[in-house]
Amino acid sequence: QFGAMTIAGALDLTSTGAITQANGTALTIAGTTRLETGTADVTLNNVAGTPVDPANTLTGAITITSAGNVALSNTASINLSGATNGALTPVTDGAVTLGTLTVGTSGAPADLDITAVGHVTQASTADVLTVYGTTDVTTSTSHDVLLANATIDSSAGLNTFVGAVTVDQARTLNLRNKVDLTTGPIVT
């Protein structure tokens, strides 16, 4: 369990147990963050409300090598990649940029629930997002949700949204899916 902590460089943490933070504490990490717990949970989301409070500030890219459920709150934009066996819930006062990311497995679906004050996009056309559960994205009417990673003539690297996709507020919505797309409520 983390207490209040400031790291001027990178955090590279492997644990066989859960990764948590004490109530009322904030993490500040200037470099990249890599978290690995196998199937244990990661809970770094001391959120008293919106905007994020207390203010975790993970400035660099965040990679989840393996974990169960993951809940992250951050005042900085989130650049996130990796794999979870459980649900993934990033909350940020900035944008969310997704690299190659897998949430859940075909045998154990898990949900992706993003809350961002900025755009929700993918880092590049080569990055693939696979969500075996539902996907829920909340942003604002002045920000975009752009999860259409592959070029128009290529289906090889398309995202896979197995469960329903719900978008609660977005200025522009662009989704591409490798399988049939099921949607929940979409508000743009």
Side-chain angles (χ1 to χ4, degrees), residues 44-93:
L44 300 176
N45 70 335
N46 281 343
V47 178
T50 300
V52 176
D53 179 30
N56 286 339
T57 305
L58 287 72
T59 305
I62 301 168
T63 302
I64 301 164
T65 305
S66 64
N69 297 308
V70 177
L72 298 170
S73 69
N74 202 17
T75 59
S77 292
I78 294 176
N79 185 333
L80 183 62
S81 62
T84 69
N85 292 313
L88 176 60
T89 309
V91 176
T92 179
D93 288 342

Side-chain angles (χ1 to χ4, degrees), residues 24-51:
T25 64
L27 299 175
T28 301
I29 302 169
T32 59
T33 300
R34 189 191 74 80
L35 304 170
E36 179 178 356
T37 64
T39 58
D41 295 342
V42 175
T43 307
L44 300 176
N45 70 335
N46 281 343
V47 178
T50 300

